[in-house]
Amino acid sequence: MNILAIETSCDETGIAILSLQDDKKIKVLGNALASQIDLHAQYGGVFPAMAKRAHAEKIIPLTIDALTQSSFLNLSNSNLGEENREKISSLCHKEQEMIEPLIEFFNNYQKPEIDYIAVTVGPGLEPALWVGVNTAKVLGAIWNIPIIPINHMEGHIVTAVIKEEEKDLYSLEKLNLPSLSLLVSGGHTELVLFDGLEYQKIGLTRDDAVGEAFDKVARMLGLSYPGGPAISKLAALYRLKSLENPIILPRPMMYSSDYDFSFSGIKTAVLYTIRDMTDGNTRELNSEEKESIACAFEDAVVEVLLHKTFKAIDEYGVQSLILGGGVASNTFLRESVSKKAENFDRKIDLYFPKPILATDNALMIGVSAIWQVLQDKIKTSAPENLVADGNLSL
Ligand code: KG4
Ligand code: ZN
């Protein structure tokens, strides 16, 4: 069974071709990704309208790239009929710039050996999501292939639970339940319980997402977008010096009775700290000062995340802890989770995504569809019923 997966929820355009083999292993046949990081770096964040335009520009070339990697593309010698051209125009009436390239694509290539199209329908930036959703609708309608709508957050969860057997070959691990997922990305900070049947969101951020806080603090320190990796690098340099950090930032909501988070307070505290250290912003921070702020910030964020996560593990009898989302590639977070789990009073299985798969990509969307197939939970959608939902919940 072959799946073509599409991801466009934020600032990465991704197309992946996966095959579920008879032995239940997942073979990656093609994987194409275009990052908009350079585009958004100059503004320090993602602008939805610009993200949408960039997705629309890249999605067809990436589809050709991924299908070519899979050796699934064969040239066609017949052109699309009038009815199909009209179908494309009507499905892409909000992405006018995609109509001609799509028609050319179908004129050039035959239907590939794809059984399902999996596409992120939310959560994310709605204009960006629609590019992927409308592409899926067109491919599904013209090739007559069923579409599986995928929740981006489920993609982050499932990506942590795959084991790399060899290059481009994965298997899905059997999860001990209940599992708890700590989902930390640029748009989300959530604690999600899973009992094998349903997801239950037990906590979420009340303001900024963790990745967003990383990005904003990075901007204050003059570091480029996305800020997570840059902050993490400075913090690690400071830890190597084994100094006592004179900066201690607040741990908002750490001891609140619920499982919610708040990160905007830490960010504001960083702003005031920088102002005080630079005599009212009259001088630049030196590199050691930047490192100490990055370290204090990472310490505060990780301590709050860990405290709430392990409180939930204890209360809900959690057997498996899954880390997902872009911030899950943070080394200090991974090491701190591992250390805390080692010292916990019972054994907990830990699942971390391969760092390169922690940030957005299409492979995670295809794997999520395969996870549904293997659990007999697959729900396909007719192209006309497919909608993008920026606030989609698990
Ligand atoms: O999951 P993702 O690729 O996109 C969203 O769905 O939001 O996450 C992107 C976020 C960005 O905010 C980025 O700064 C953060 O993940 N990030 C990190 C690291 N790598 C990426 N944050 C902390 N440490 C990292 N190493
Ligand atoms: Zn994401």
Side-chain angles (χ1 to χ4, degrees), residues 32 39 184 270 338 371:
L39 175 69
V184 278
V270 171
S338 300
W371 152 277

Side-chain angles (χ1 to χ4, degrees), residues 152 156 185-187 211-212 214-215 226-229 232 325-327 329-330 358-360:
H152 179 85
H156 277 307
S185 72
E212 189 182 356
F214 266 96
D215 295 338
S232 173
V327 186
S329 54
N330 183 283
T359 45
D360 295 348

Side-chain angles (χ1 to χ4, degrees), residues 7 9-10 123 152-153 156 184-188 325-326 358-361 364:
E7 158 64 34
S9 68
C10 188
H152 179 85
M153 303 315 284
H156 277 307
V184 278
S185 72
H188 293 85
T359 45
D360 295 348
N361 62 84
M364 65 189 237

Side-chain angles (χ1 to χ4, degrees), residues 28 74 86 93 97 143 147-148 191 253 270 347 378 383:
V28 182
N74 292 308
E86 273 170 21
H93 71 275
E97 68 273 39
W143 287 337
I147 301 170
I148 309 176
L191 277 171
M253 292 185 67
V270 171
K347 185 182 169 297
I378 192 163

Side-chain angles (χ1 to χ4, degrees), residues 206-240:
R206 299 210 179 157
D207 39 61
D208 291 349
V210 190
E212 189 182 356
F214 266 96
D215 295 338
K216 286 178 178 168
V217 168
R219 212 171 160 190
M220 291 178 210
L221 295 178
L223 306 168
S224 63
Y225 173 85
I231 295 257
S232 173
K233 216 178 278 173
L234 289 189
L237 285 175
Y238 195 77
R239 276 185 206 105
L240 276 178

